[in-house]
Amino acid sequence: MQWTDWPFLLSQVLSQFSIGAFIVIGVIMLSGKLCFGQSDRVLKNFPLIWLLLITAMLLREGTLMLSQIHSQSSFGLETFFCLTILISTMAYWLCEKHFIGSDKWRKSFLFLVVVWSGLYFIEGVVNHGISYSLAIQFIANVIVGGSLVAHCMLVKSEHKLTKLNTFLPVCGLVIGVVAILSNMQGMSLLVQQAELGDLTGFVVRISSIGLMVLALSLWLMPIITKSKPVTVMLVISSVIMAVASFLTALSM
C-alpha cells in the first residue's frame, strides 16, 4: 500500500466514526427520552461531529490535490455522503437553535437526516461486502466507533439515561469481539510472511488488535468498577479505537 492511501484510510475512519455517532445521537433524540435541557446540551456538542467530518474531507480532497493522482481508495460517494450529512446536520442544528418550524417539523427533518445517514451505512456494508473482513471492520467502525463518540457527547451533556451507560459499551463489546475475531483470520498468512522476514503486516495487525482490546476495556471499566463514565476516559478510548481501526485498514 502506497503512503498516499494513508490519508484516505484515516479519512474513512473519521467519516465512519462521525456518521455513526450522529446515527446513535439522532436515534436517541428521536426517542423523546431527552428533556429540553438535555437535548440543548447535546446540540452544543454537534460541532464535534462537524469537526470530524470536515477533517475527513480535508484529508481526502487535500491529498488528491497535492498528489494529483486518483488513488484506489478514492470513493466519490463517501465524500458526497459526508458533505450532505454535514450540511443537513448544520441546517437541523440551526432550526433547533432558532426554533425554525414546528417541533413536529424539526423531528421529521431529524428523522430524514438519520435515514440518510443509515443509507450511508447500508451502502458501505454493500460496497465492502466483497470482503467479509472489510465489511465487518466497516460495521465495527460505524457502530462501535460511532457509539463511543456518541457516548462521549452524551456524558459531556450530562444525560440522565443511565441505561445507555451499560447498553452502549456492551453493544460495542459484542461487535468489537466479532471484529477482533475477523482480524485474526488472516494471521496465519501474516505469520508466514513474518517468518520470511516481512514483519510489518504482522506487527501492524497485532497492534491493531491490542489497541482495540485496550479501547474496549477502558470503555467497559465504569461497568466493572460500578462508577460513572468520565468524559476524558471515553475520549481516550475513542482515540485508541480510531488508531486501531486505522492500523487494521493498513494491514488489510
Side-chain angles (χ1 to χ4, degrees), residues 9-10 12-14 16-17 137-138 140-142 144-145 179 183 204 207-209 211-212 238-252:
L9 296 177
L10 181 56
Q12 288 173 354
V13 170
L14 294 178
Q16 291 157 12
F17 274 45
Q137 189 59 38
F138 175 82
N141 287 349
V142 175
V144 180
N183 289 342
V204 171
S207 299
S208 68
I209 293 174
L211 288 174
M212 189 173 294
S238 300
V239 172
I240 294 174
M241 183 64 73
V243 174
S245 299
F246 174 69
L247 292 179
T248 299
L250 280 180
S251 64
M252 288 184 173

mmCIF file of all heavy atoms in Angstrom, residues 9-10 12-14 16-17 137-138 140-142 144-145 179 183 204 207-209 211-212 238-252:
data_model
loop_
_atom_site.group_PDB
_atom_site.id
_atom_site.type_symbol
_atom_site.label_atom_id
_atom_site.label_comp_id
_atom_site.label_asym_id
_atom_site.label_seq_id
_atom_site.Cartn_x
_atom_site.Cartn_y
_atom_site.Cartn_z
ATOM 1 N N LEU A 9 -7.428 6.321 4.159
ATOM 2 C CA LEU A 9 -7.859 5.366 5.181
ATOM 3 C C LEU A 9 -8.243 6.087 6.465
ATOM 4 O O LEU A 9 -9.259 5.762 7.091
ATOM 5 C CB LEU A 9 -6.746 4.351 5.452
ATOM 6 C CG LEU A 9 -6.359 3.443 4.276
ATOM 7 C CD1 LEU A 9 -5.202 2.531 4.668
ATOM 8 C CD2 LEU A 9 -7.547 2.622 3.812
ATOM 9 N N LEU A 10 -7.432 7.069 6.868
ATOM 10 C CA LEU A 10 -7.752 7.849 8.068
ATOM 11 C C LEU A 10 -9.039 8.644 7.855
ATOM 12 O O LEU A 10 -9.874 8.751 8.757
ATOM 13 C CB LEU A 10 -6.599 8.789 8.400
ATOM 14 C CG LEU A 10 -6.768 9.658 9.659
ATOM 15 C CD1 LEU A 10 -7.031 8.788 10.886
ATOM 16 C CD2 LEU A 10 -5.542 10.533 9.878
ATOM 17 N N GLN A 12 -11.552 7.782 5.970
ATOM 18 C CA GLN A 12 -12.676 6.850 6.063
ATOM 19 C C GLN A 12 -13.010 6.530 7.510
ATOM 20 O O GLN A 12 -14.187 6.466 7.887
ATOM 21 C CB GLN A 12 -12.338 5.571 5.291
ATOM 22 C CG GLN A 12 -12.336 5.757 3.786
ATOM 23 C CD GLN A 12 -11.831 4.535 3.036
ATOM 24 O OE1 GLN A 12 -11.378 3.563 3.640
ATOM 25 N NE2 GLN A 12 -11.892 4.582 1.723
ATOM 26 N N VAL A 13 -11.984 6.332 8.331
ATOM 27 C CA VAL A 13 -12.214 6.032 9.754
ATOM 28 C C VAL A 13 -12.937 7.191 10.432
ATOM 29 O O VAL A 13 -13.915 6.994 11.158
ATOM 30 C CB VAL A 13 -10.874 5.738 10.468
ATOM 31 C CG1 VAL A 13 -11.083 5.679 11.980
ATOM 32 C CG2 VAL A 13 -10.278 4.425 9.975
ATOM 33 N N LEU A 14 -12.474 8.419 10.185
ATOM 34 C CA LEU A 14 -13.104 9.587 10.803
ATOM 35 C C LEU A 14 -14.546 9.760 10.320
ATOM 36 O O LEU A 14 -15.442 10.099 11.106
ATOM 37 C CB LEU A 14 -12.293 10.850 10.488
ATOM 38 C CG LEU A 14 -10.887 10.922 11.098
ATOM 39 C CD1 LEU A 14 -10.182 12.201 10.662
ATOM 40 C CD2 LEU A 14 -10.942 10.848 12.620
ATOM 41 N N GLN A 16 -16.570 7.375 9.231
ATOM 42 C CA GLN A 16 -17.389 6.300 9.798
ATOM 43 C C GLN A 16 -17.693 6.549 11.265
ATOM 44 O O GLN A 16 -18.830 6.338 11.716
ATOM 45 C CB GLN A 16 -16.662 4.968 9.593
ATOM 46 C CG GLN A 16 -16.599 4.540 8.137
ATOM 47 C CD GLN A 16 -15.468 3.567 7.825
ATOM 48 O OE1 GLN A 16 -14.839 3.019 8.738
ATOM 49 N NE2 GLN A 16 -15.202 3.355 6.555
ATOM 50 N N PHE A 17 -16.727 7.010 12.020
ATOM 51 C CA PHE A 17 -16.940 7.309 13.435
ATOM 52 C C PHE A 17 -17.962 8.442 13.604
ATOM 53 O O PHE A 17 -18.879 8.353 14.431
ATOM 54 C CB PHE A 17 -15.623 7.705 14.109
ATOM 55 C CG PHE A 17 -14.802 6.550 14.605
ATOM 56 C CD1 PHE A 17 -14.600 5.428 13.815
ATOM 57 C CD2 PHE A 17 -14.233 6.572 15.865
ATOM 58 C CE1 PHE A 17 -13.834 4.359 14.255
ATOM 59 C CE2 PHE A 17 -13.462 5.506 16.332
ATOM 60 C CZ PHE A 17 -13.264 4.394 15.524
ATOM 61 N N GLN A 137 -15.211 -4.853 9.502
ATOM 62 C CA GLN A 137 -14.484 -3.694 10.008
ATOM 63 C C GLN A 137 -15.278 -2.414 9.807
ATOM 64 O O GLN A 137 -15.302 -1.531 10.683
ATOM 65 C CB GLN A 137 -13.124 -3.580 9.308
ATOM 66 C CG GLN A 137 -12.194 -2.546 9.914
ATOM 67 C CD GLN A 137 -11.887 -2.805 11.379
ATOM 68 O OE1 GLN A 137 -11.741 -3.949 11.783
ATOM 69 N NE2 GLN A 137 -11.810 -1.754 12.172
ATOM 70 N N PHE A 138 -15.945 -2.290 8.662
ATOM 71 C CA PHE A 138 -16.774 -1.102 8.408
ATOM 72 C C PHE A 138 -17.909 -1.019 9.427
ATOM 73 O O PHE A 138 -18.170 0.043 9.996
ATOM 74 C CB PHE A 138 -17.344 -1.158 6.988
ATOM 75 C CG PHE A 138 -18.305 -0.036 6.673
ATOM 76 C CD1 PHE A 138 -17.827 1.197 6.287
ATOM 77 C CD2 PHE A 138 -19.678 -0.217 6.794
ATOM 78 C CE1 PHE A 138 -18.706 2.246 6.007
ATOM 79 C CE2 PHE A 138 -20.562 0.817 6.516
ATOM 80 C CZ PHE A 138 -20.068 2.047 6.117
ATOM 81 N N ALA A 140 -17.997 -2.352 12.387
ATOM 82 C CA ALA A 140 -17.418 -2.056 13.704
ATOM 83 C C ALA A 140 -17.078 -0.571 13.830
ATOM 84 O O ALA A 140 -17.317 0.043 14.881
ATOM 85 C CB ALA A 140 -16.175 -2.908 13.928
ATOM 86 N N ASN A 141 -16.516 0.014 12.770
ATOM 87 C CA ASN A 141 -16.161 1.436 12.826
ATOM 88 C C ASN A 141 -17.386 2.310 13.024
ATOM 89 O O ASN A 141 -17.376 3.244 13.837
ATOM 90 C CB ASN A 141 -15.434 1.846 11.544
ATOM 91 C CG ASN A 141 -14.029 1.306 11.472
ATOM 92 O OD1 ASN A 141 -13.499 0.781 12.447
ATOM 93 N ND2 ASN A 141 -13.408 1.402 10.316
ATOM 94 N N VAL A 142 -18.455 2.020 12.259
ATOM 95 C CA VAL A 142 -19.651 2.857 12.334
ATOM 96 C C VAL A 142 -20.373 2.660 13.668
ATOM 97 O O VAL A 142 -20.747 3.635 14.337
ATOM 98 C CB VAL A 142 -20.611 2.554 11.162
ATOM 99 C CG1 VAL A 142 -21.912 3.335 11.316
ATOM 100 C CG2 VAL A 142 -19.948 2.916 9.835
ATOM 101 N N VAL A 144 -19.384 0.639 16.609
ATOM 102 C CA VAL A 144 -18.575 0.715 17.835
ATOM 103 C C VAL A 144 -17.935 2.103 17.968
ATOM 104 O O VAL A 144 -18.061 2.760 19.010
ATOM 105 C CB VAL A 144 -17.493 -0.383 17.848
ATOM 106 C CG1 VAL A 144 -16.667 -0.296 19.123
ATOM 107 C CG2 VAL A 144 -18.130 -1.761 17.730
ATOM 108 N N GLY A 145 -17.235 2.528 16.912
ATOM 109 C CA GLY A 145 -16.609 3.846 16.962
ATOM 110 C C GLY A 145 -17.629 4.954 17.121
ATOM 111 O O GLY A 145 -17.440 5.892 17.913
ATOM 112 N N ALA A 179 -15.273 -8.204 15.422
ATOM 113 C CA ALA A 179 -14.249 -7.568 14.587
ATOM 114 C C ALA A 179 -12.857 -8.114 14.895
ATOM 115 O O ALA A 179 -12.054 -8.351 13.985
ATOM 116 C CB ALA A 179 -14.281 -6.055 14.797
ATOM 117 N N ASN A 183 -10.354 -10.112 12.392
ATOM 118 C CA ASN A 183 -8.974 -9.700 12.126
ATOM 119 C C ASN A 183 -7.990 -10.839 12.332
ATOM 120 O O ASN A 183 -6.912 -10.857 11.733
ATOM 121 C CB ASN A 183 -8.590 -8.531 13.036
ATOM 122 C CG ASN A 183 -9.293 -7.249 12.655
ATOM 123 O OD1 ASN A 183 -9.803 -7.112 11.551
ATOM 124 N ND2 ASN A 183 -9.337 -6.301 13.575
ATOM 125 N N VAL A 204 1.655 -4.686 12.573
ATOM 126 C CA VAL A 204 0.535 -3.746 12.448
ATOM 127 C C VAL A 204 -0.773 -4.409 12.870
ATOM 128 O O VAL A 204 -1.579 -3.825 13.606
ATOM 129 C CB VAL A 204 0.427 -3.209 11.011
ATOM 130 C CG1 VAL A 204 -0.862 -2.409 10.827
ATOM 131 C CG2 VAL A 204 1.621 -2.330 10.687
ATOM 132 N N SER A 207 -0.832 -5.014 16.616
ATOM 133 C CA SER A 207 -1.004 -3.726 17.296
ATOM 134 C C SER A 207 -2.453 -3.273 17.238
ATOM 135 O O SER A 207 -3.001 -2.762 18.232
ATOM 136 C CB SER A 207 -0.099 -2.668 16.662
ATOM 137 O OG SER A 207 1.259 -3.027 16.777
ATOM 138 N N SER A 208 -3.088 -3.456 16.076
ATOM 139 C CA SER A 208 -4.484 -3.031 15.929
ATOM 140 C C SER A 208 -5.406 -3.828 16.842
ATOM 141 O O SER A 208 -6.308 -3.269 17.478
ATOM 142 C CB SER A 208 -4.931 -3.178 14.474
ATOM 143 O OG SER A 208 -5.004 -4.537 14.085
ATOM 144 N N ILE A 209 -5.167 -5.127 16.934
ATOM 145 C CA ILE A 209 -5.982 -5.978 17.812
ATOM 146 C C ILE A 209 -5.776 -5.588 19.272
ATOM 147 O O ILE A 209 -6.735 -5.463 20.047
ATOM 148 C CB ILE A 209 -5.651 -7.463 17.590
ATOM 149 C CG1 ILE A 209 -6.091 -7.900 16.184
ATOM 150 C CG2 ILE A 209 -6.321 -8.336 18.643
ATOM 151 C CD1 ILE A 209 -5.675 -9.303 15.815
ATOM 152 N N LEU A 211 -4.772 -2.684 20.508
ATOM 153 C CA LEU A 211 -5.356 -1.377 20.783
ATOM 154 C C LEU A 211 -6.876 -1.448 20.865
ATOM 155 O O LEU A 211 -7.496 -0.751 21.676
ATOM 156 C CB LEU A 211 -4.938 -0.378 19.695
ATOM 157 C CG LEU A 211 -3.472 0.072 19.732
ATOM 158 C CD1 LEU A 211 -3.148 0.934 18.526
ATOM 159 C CD2 LEU A 211 -3.178 0.829 21.027
ATOM 160 N N MET A 212 -7.481 -2.298 20.038
ATOM 161 C CA MET A 212 -8.935 -2.446 20.090
ATOM 162 C C MET A 212 -9.365 -3.054 21.429
ATOM 163 O O MET A 212 -10.354 -2.624 22.028
ATOM 164 C CB MET A 212 -9.429 -3.305 18.925
ATOM 165 C CG MET A 212 -10.946 -3.323 18.772
ATOM 166 S SD MET A 212 -11.504 -4.185 17.277
ATOM 167 C CE MET A 212 -10.848 -3.092 16.010
ATOM 168 N N SER A 238 -11.879 6.516 22.584
ATOM 169 C CA SER A 238 -12.253 6.802 21.194
ATOM 170 C C SER A 238 -11.020 6.978 20.314
ATOM 171 O O SER A 238 -10.971 6.469 19.188
ATOM 172 C CB SER A 238 -13.119 8.070 21.132
ATOM 173 O OG SER A 238 -14.304 7.917 21.879
ATOM 174 N N VAL A 239 -10.027 7.704 20.830
ATOM 175 C CA VAL A 239 -8.796 7.929 20.068
ATOM 176 C C VAL A 239 -8.075 6.598 19.815
ATOM 177 O O VAL A 239 -7.600 6.325 18.704
ATOM 178 C CB VAL A 239 -7.875 8.918 20.801
ATOM 179 C CG1 VAL A 239 -6.521 9.005 20.108
ATOM 180 C CG2 VAL A 239 -8.519 10.300 20.868
ATOM 181 N N ILE A 240 -7.980 5.771 20.862
ATOM 182 C CA ILE A 240 -7.322 4.472 20.728
ATOM 183 C C ILE A 240 -8.067 3.598 19.718
ATOM 184 O O ILE A 240 -7.458 2.923 18.882
ATOM 185 C CB ILE A 240 -7.240 3.760 22.093
ATOM 186 C CG1 ILE A 240 -6.318 4.531 23.038
ATOM 187 C CG2 ILE A 240 -6.735 2.327 21.931
ATOM 188 C CD1 ILE A 240 -6.298 3.979 24.449
ATOM 189 N N MET A 241 -9.412 3.626 19.763
ATOM 190 C CA MET A 241 -10.207 2.840 18.819
ATOM 191 C C MET A 241 -9.985 3.328 17.392
ATOM 192 O O MET A 241 -9.906 2.516 16.448
ATOM 193 C CB MET A 241 -11.688 2.926 19.185
ATOM 194 C CG MET A 241 -12.604 2.082 18.298
ATOM 195 S SD MET A 241 -12.291 0.302 18.446
ATOM 196 C CE MET A 241 -12.995 -0.013 20.067
ATOM 197 N N ALA A 242 -9.873 4.641 17.200
ATOM 198 C CA ALA A 242 -9.635 5.194 15.866
ATOM 199 C C ALA A 242 -8.273 4.750 15.329
ATOM 200 O O ALA A 242 -8.141 4.380 14.154
ATOM 201 C CB ALA A 242 -9.724 6.719 15.904
ATOM 202 N N VAL A 243 -7.256 4.775 16.186
ATOM 203 C CA VAL A 243 -5.918 4.318 15.774
ATOM 204 C C VAL A 243 -5.948 2.826 15.430
ATOM 205 O O VAL A 243 -5.352 2.386 14.442
ATOM 206 C CB VAL A 243 -4.884 4.587 16.893
ATOM 207 C CG1 VAL A 243 -3.524 3.984 16.518
ATOM 208 C CG2 VAL A 243 -4.751 6.084 17.143
ATOM 209 N N ALA A 244 -6.661 2.039 16.244
ATOM 210 C CA ALA A 244 -6.788 0.598 15.981
ATOM 211 C C ALA A 244 -7.464 0.351 14.639
ATOM 212 O O ALA A 244 -7.034 -0.519 13.862
ATOM 213 C CB ALA A 244 -7.576 -0.060 17.107
ATOM 214 N N SER A 245 -8.522 1.101 14.339
ATOM 215 C CA SER A 245 -9.230 0.938 13.074
ATOM 216 C C SER A 245 -8.340 1.335 11.900
ATOM 217 O O SER A 245 -8.365 0.670 10.848
ATOM 218 C CB SER A 245 -10.505 1.800 13.070
ATOM 219 O OG SER A 245 -11.372 1.414 14.105
ATOM 220 N N PHE A 246 -7.561 2.381 12.067
ATOM 221 C CA PHE A 246 -6.637 2.804 11.014
ATOM 222 C C PHE A 246 -5.571 1.738 10.743
ATOM 223 O O PHE A 246 -5.277 1.413 9.590
ATOM 224 C CB PHE A 246 -5.991 4.126 11.422
ATOM 225 C CG PHE A 246 -4.907 4.598 10.479
ATOM 226 C CD1 PHE A 246 -5.225 5.025 9.206
ATOM 227 C CD2 PHE A 246 -3.584 4.608 10.890
ATOM 228 C CE1 PHE A 246 -4.220 5.450 8.333
ATOM 229 C CE2 PHE A 246 -2.581 5.038 10.037
ATOM 230 C CZ PHE A 246 -2.900 5.465 8.752
ATOM 231 N N LEU A 247 -5.009 1.178 11.811
ATOM 232 C CA LEU A 247 -3.986 0.150 11.651
ATOM 233 C C LEU A 247 -4.576 -1.113 11.022
ATOM 234 O O LEU A 247 -3.920 -1.781 10.222
ATOM 235 C CB LEU A 247 -3.363 -0.187 13.004
ATOM 236 C CG LEU A 247 -2.506 0.909 13.644
ATOM 237 C CD1 LEU A 247 -1.977 0.461 15.001
ATOM 238 C CD2 LEU A 247 -1.342 1.291 12.725
ATOM 239 N N THR A 248 -5.805 -1.428 11.384
ATOM 240 C CA THR A 248 -6.486 -2.600 10.780
ATOM 241 C C THR A 248 -6.625 -2.393 9.281
ATOM 242 O O THR A 248 -6.380 -3.313 8.486
ATOM 243 C CB THR A 248 -7.867 -2.801 11.411
ATOM 244 O OG1 THR A 248 -7.718 -3.055 12.806
ATOM 245 C CG2 THR A 248 -8.564 -4.004 10.758
ATOM 246 N N ALA A 249 -7.030 -1.183 8.877
ATOM 247 C CA ALA A 249 -7.174 -0.892 7.446
ATOM 248 C C ALA A 249 -5.831 -0.978 6.734
ATOM 249 O O ALA A 249 -5.750 -1.442 5.574
ATOM 250 C CB ALA A 249 -7.778 0.506 7.258
ATOM 251 N N LEU A 250 -4.751 -0.548 7.401
ATOM 252 C CA LEU A 250 -3.423 -0.627 6.803
ATOM 253 C C LEU A 250 -2.999 -2.074 6.565
ATOM 254 O O LEU A 250 -2.300 -2.373 5.585
ATOM 255 C CB LEU A 250 -2.396 0.050 7.709
ATOM 256 C CG LEU A 250 -2.280 1.571 7.671
ATOM 257 C CD1 LEU A 250 -1.211 2.035 8.644
ATOM 258 C CD2 LEU A 250 -1.941 2.042 6.265
ATOM 259 N N SER A 251 -3.376 -2.967 7.451
ATOM 260 C CA SER A 251 -2.902 -4.353 7.375
ATOM 261 C C SER A 251 -3.749 -5.221 6.461
ATOM 262 O O SER A 251 -3.440 -6.399 6.265
ATOM 263 C CB SER A 251 -2.868 -4.969 8.784
ATOM 264 O OG SER A 251 -4.178 -5.051 9.335
ATOM 265 N N MET A 252 -4.834 -4.662 5.905
ATOM 266 C CA MET A 252 -5.714 -5.469 5.049
ATOM 267 C C MET A 252 -5.385 -5.261 3.568
ATOM 268 O O MET A 252 -4.792 -4.285 3.189
ATOM 269 C CB MET A 252 -7.187 -5.112 5.302
ATOM 270 C CG MET A 252 -7.679 -5.622 6.634
ATOM 271 S SD MET A 252 -9.454 -5.301 6.851
ATOM 272 C CE MET A 252 -9.764 -6.187 8.386
#
